Amino acid sequence: MRVMRYVSTRGATQPLTFQDAVITGLAPDGGLLVPATIPDVTPELASLKGLSFVELAKAIVPRFVDDIPDAVLSELIDAAYQNFDLTDVVRLQGVNGVQVLELFHGPTLAFKDVALQLLGKLFEHILTHRDAHLNVLCATSGDTGSAAIAGVRGQANIDIFVMYPYGRVSPLQELQMTTIPDRNVHCLAVEGSFDDCQALLKAVFNDLDFKHRMSMAAVNSVNWARVLAQIVYYGYASLASEVPVSFCVPTGNFGNVFAGYLAKRMGFPIDRLIVATNENDILSVFFQTGVYRRGDVQFTITPAMDIQVASNFERFLYYHLEEDSNALVAFMDDFQSTGEARLEQPPSEDVFLATAVDTADTMDVIRAVHKETGYLADPHTAVGLSAARRLKIAGPVVCIATAHPAKFPESVDAAVGEHVAEHPRLEALKGLPTRRTVVPADVEAIKSYIVANT
Ligand SMILES: *Cc1c(COP(=O)(O)O)cnc(C)c1O
């Protein structure tokens, strides 16, 4: 019998089952949930090599789950990945001496679909089984909202409420949310900034009475199932190479690259992980110096990476501190009270390398890669391509492509100098009827909207 429990990085939560971890999101002690043990795939690598993405998902995901039968998990995985445009879900492309791992062939054209499609199926299974209903609340500056909606639209046991800053998300990204006709989807255009939306989200979840009474759930990358789904493509791309590969990952909340770190710890043949940030460089500075210092958020052409405090960083820190919750809590308390915390020395460069790429470099890379190869990279992907060029890693490098270029047409077209970034699915949204409610940035207004519309 396989046994898998989830523990909190902060060490003050009773171990949870997988299903409870998925429904709970953030641990009650304020920490993040991680598996109590990390499975070792080293003995099986030969048999995992050559599997399709979906086959590999069916081999990997069950290792972290002991409360859903393997046969049921297989069905959920099949259902999650049938809506992708590629039979094999993801694709490796050679571009100028590196491999690009395209993860954006799902319903909303961003890598977040890989995890949120599976999370949607997991929610559906768990809620049906428990005869329960969930209200999902999410704050988005763009990609997360549409991918979360695509994961749960039409489900009878879920209502999803997506808050975004009114007038401050791109018109295409707004259409990807507001044109969805399903009655369980509620788009809230908040009269405020993205920070206001995140503050509202926190305030709603901090009202524990409301949270429990209304069965509120979270789909941001603190949810363990998102990390789990992402481990699969690191394994897949590493096994496609004859020698260990390094991954270069455009990073915001550290969820994507953290999945790569776990894949490495599981024994997949992974050499280094390159953390590529934009001007919001708190993480690249940390990996270079060991100092973790909060700055002001800068707004860039890679909005999904305009983040200062990365929620999944805590999961990495927990392992880096050898699972010592007391040391972790001390570090986080320092950071919380002073805006700065530091390690004795930075993590070894044997695993993580990091660099920050500015807007000019990002635009240059989009232009140069397109000119040299015809390949069109979205700005987030280009941050990774630029970092990989700069760091000159020995051995094969896989750059993670996180979004389709047509999601960010203004920057991509400007970089290339002509109109090139287009996707038929996005074009088809223009002119469709939209639904959304404008609400004030007020927590009571959000709560009463949820109560009235569930
Ligand atoms: C969310 C997102 C990222 C950042 O991923 P994290 O897991 O938050 O590090 C990068 N690129 C795109 C296009 C995204 O949507």
Side-chain angles (χ1 to χ4, degrees):
M1 254 315 272
R2 188 192 305 137
V3 175
M4 179 55 87
R5 288 293 171 275
Y6 287 85
V7 296
S8 166
T9 50
R10 306 219 175 167
T13 294
Q14 286 300 316
L16 299 178
T17 63
F18 173 76
Q19 294 194 31
D20 285 335
V22 171
I23 297 294
T24 303
L26 199 67
D29 62 10
L32 276 79
L33 295 165
V34 290
T37 54
I38 298 177
D40 178 10
V41 295
T42 325
E44 298 154 55
L45 287 180
S47 64
L48 297 176
K49 212 173 161 71
L51 295 186
S52 70
F53 176 89
V54 166
E55 287 166 344
L56 188 64
K58 291 176 181 179
I60 298 302
V61 173
R63 304 289 299 263
F64 290 90
V65 183
D66 70 359
D67 56 355
I68 301 177
D70 289 1
V72 175
L73 265 182
S74 277
E75 284 169 22
L76 299 179
I77 290 169
D78 279 329
Y81 295 116
Q82 73 185 3
N83 291 333
F84 280 63
D85 296 332
L86 304 176
T87 331
D88 207 18
V89 184
V90 302
R91 174 161 75 194
L92 277 165
Q93 290 259 40
V95 177
N96 250 4
V98 297
Q99 294 283 311
V100 171
L101 179 62
E102 293 185 350
L103 303 175
F104 54 72
H105 296 283
T108 72
L109 308 177
F111 92 99
K112 292 186 170 70
D113 288 326
V114 176
L116 283 163
Q117 285 292 310
L118 183 61
L119 179 58
K121 298 301 170 204
L122 287 166
F123 274 154
E124 186 168 34
H125 170 78
I126 297 170
L127 295 174
T128 309
H129 208 71
R130 297 182 174 183
D131 192 20
H133 180 275
L134 270 188
N135 289 310
V136 169
L137 181 64
C138 145
T140 186
S141 60
D143 289 341
T144 305
S146 57
I149 289 171
V152 303
R153 60 183 288 189
Q155 289 190 22
N157 295 338
I158 294 186
D159 278 281
I160 182 166
F161 300 85
V162 175
M163 299 180 286
Y164 64 91
Y166 183 29
R168 300 191 206 182
V169 300
S170 87
L172 267 181
Q173 288 186 320
E174 183 170 24
L175 285 177
Q176 284 189 292
M177 300 187 274
T178 56
T179 55
I180 304 298
D182 303 82
R183 302 314 300 179
N184 71 329
V185 174
H186 312 274
C187 296
L188 301 179
V190 174
E191 291 174 317
S193 65
F194 174 58
D195 284 344
D196 292 330
C197 294
Q198 279 193 303
L200 289 167
L201 183 82
K202 263 206 183 134
V204 172
F205 281 108
N206 280 342
D207 180 345
L208 292 182
D209 175 53
F210 183 84
K211 183 183 169 198
H212 291 131
R213 187 160 45 86
M214 296 304 294
S215 304
M216 302 302 299
V219 290
N220 54 5
S221 61
V222 304
N223 195 304
W224 162 252
R226 287 191 55 183
V227 175
L228 173 56
Q230 292 169 182
I231 291 173
V232 178
Y233 53 74
Y234 285 95
Y236 176 84
S238 71
L239 293 172
S241 166
E242 293 310 315
V243 293
V245 294
S246 296
F247 285 93
C248 187
V249 191
T251 302
N253 251 324
F254 207 73
N256 195 349
V257 67
F258 178 72
Y261 177 69
L262 280 187
K264 182 176 167 75
R265 288 187 70 125
M266 289 173 72
F268 284 107
I270 295 171
D271 185 11
R272 280 161 150 162
L273 298 162
I274 302 162
V275 176
T277 68
N278 62 21
E279 285 95 333
N280 295 287
D281 61 358
I282 174 171
L283 288 170
S284 46
V285 169
F286 170 80
F287 282 103
Q288 287 159 5
T289 64
V291 178
Y292 191 57
R293 183 186 301 127
R294 188 200 311 261
D296 292 327
V297 176
Q298 300 191 40
F299 296 98
T300 72
I301 58 168
T302 46
M305 297 157 64
D306 290 343
I307 290 167
Q308 280 288 334
V309 181
S311 48
N312 272 283
F313 176 72
E314 177 161 337
R315 286 190 165 115
F316 161 73
L317 199 62
Y318 174 74
Y319 287 109
H320 182 73
L321 297 171
E322 294 173 348
E323 307 183 20
D324 178 346
S325 290
N326 293 331
L328 175 103
V329 169
F331 186 100
M332 296 311 285
D333 281 351
D334 264 359
F335 181 69
Q336 194 62 40
S337 54
T338 67
E340 178 175 328
R342 57 179 69 219
L343 297 178
E344 298 287 316
Q345 50 193 32
S348 151
E349 295 205 336
D350 292 348
V351 183
F352 283 100
L353 292 176
T355 191
V357 175
D358 66 18
T359 301
D361 284 352
T362 306
M363 295 291 272
D364 276 349
V365 164
I366 298 174
R367 181 182 324 109
V369 168
H370 183 257
K371 189 151 172 256
E372 290 157 22
T373 68
Y375 189 81
L376 210 53
D378 102 280
H380 304 80
T381 305
V383 165
L385 290 170
S386 176
R389 282 192 176 193
R390 192 183 296 169
L391 291 175
K392 302 204 170 56
I393 311 296
V397 176
V398 173
C399 288
I400 303 265
T402 50
H404 192 287
K407 285 199 92 165
F408 302 94
E410 296 82 7
S411 325
V412 173
D413 290 351
V416 171
E418 56 180 311
H419 177 59
V420 280
E422 217 174 89
H423 189 287
R425 198 176 308 141
L426 297 178
E427 293 306 307
L429 299 178
K430 297 175 182 169
L432 288 182
T434 60
R435 278 187 314 133
R436 57 136 209 246
T437 306
V438 179
V439 291
D442 171 63
V443 63
E444 293 311 320
I446 302 294
K447 285 187 198 163
S448 20
Y449 188 90
I450 294 171
V451 171
N453 288 278
T454 180

